[in-house]
Amino acid sequence: MTTFKCHKGIGSKVEGEALVAEDNFSARYDLDRLKGVFSRPQHKLHGQSYKDKILVFNTAKGGVASAWMLHEMKSRGIAPKAILFNTANTILAQGAALADMTMCDRFEDGDVTRLIKTGDRLEVDPENGVVRVI
């Protein structure tokens, strides 16, 4: 088991499969929020489902619409379980809190998009600022 320490996060403790890209993340421009897939052709995860995954990205992008879009995805039952970032912004943190979605950032061990691989099984414990590859 490998453990990574991060900044204390938002949301509850979750387990799930990682889906990783070095890209940035926009809930508004990267996703089809009805089908539950990455829809922007230029995104490295284009065509892949994000439902019930633990998404791992470099940083968040987008404006205030991101907050209600995360909430919309959660209310439709097609949301990721958690989102991990090297660096999040206040808009995504606000959106994760509104959607009751787990989110962590600022990893002490380095670039989270290189530490975690797609398909890794993760346990995210935001209250203690810990992510484990299990």
Side-chain angles (χ1 to χ4, degrees):
M1 180 183 309
T2 304
T3 301
F4 302 114
K5 189 83 177 144
C6 58
H7 187 260
K8 188 173 179 177
I10 296 167
S12 56
K13 190 175 182 178
V14 297
E15 284 187 30
E17 182 181 346
L19 185 59
V20 182
E22 294 174 1
D23 283 8
N24 300 327
F25 173 76
S26 168
R28 182 173 185 180
Y29 296 112
D30 293 338
L31 308 178
D32 181 321
R33 295 179 312 279
L34 298 176
K35 296 179 181 174
V37 297
F38 284 85
S39 57
R40 188 169 58 88
Q42 297 82 11
H43 199 282
K44 291 181 181 173
L45 299 177
H46 178 254
Q48 296 194 49
S49 173
Y50 58 80
K51 182 179 183 269
D52 293 331
K53 302 289 185 182
I54 296 176
L55 304 178
V56 182
F57 296 109
N58 181 40
T59 192
K61 59 183 179 180
V64 294
S66 295
W68 64 262
M69 289 178 179
L70 291 178
H71 184 269
E72 175 191 30
M73 291 188 304
K74 183 87 174 214
S75 68
R76 290 184 176 169
I78 55 170
K81 285 187 173 179
I83 308 176
L84 308 178
F85 294 104
N86 282 317
T87 307
N89 62 26
T90 54
I91 298 296
L92 248 291
Q94 180 184 35
L98 175 68
D100 190 26
M101 183 180 297
T102 300
M103 190 198 87
C104 293
D105 73 340
R106 293 179 268 171
F107 285 79
E108 293 178 359
D109 300 295
D111 183 345
V112 71
T113 67
R114 296 183 185 268
L115 297 171
I116 297 172
K117 305 293 181 211
T118 292
D120 282 350
R121 185 92 185 150
L122 303 178
E123 177 186 85
V124 181
D125 182 356
E127 184 176 337
N128 292 304
V130 172
V131 175
R132 293 181 183 89
V133 180
I134 52 177

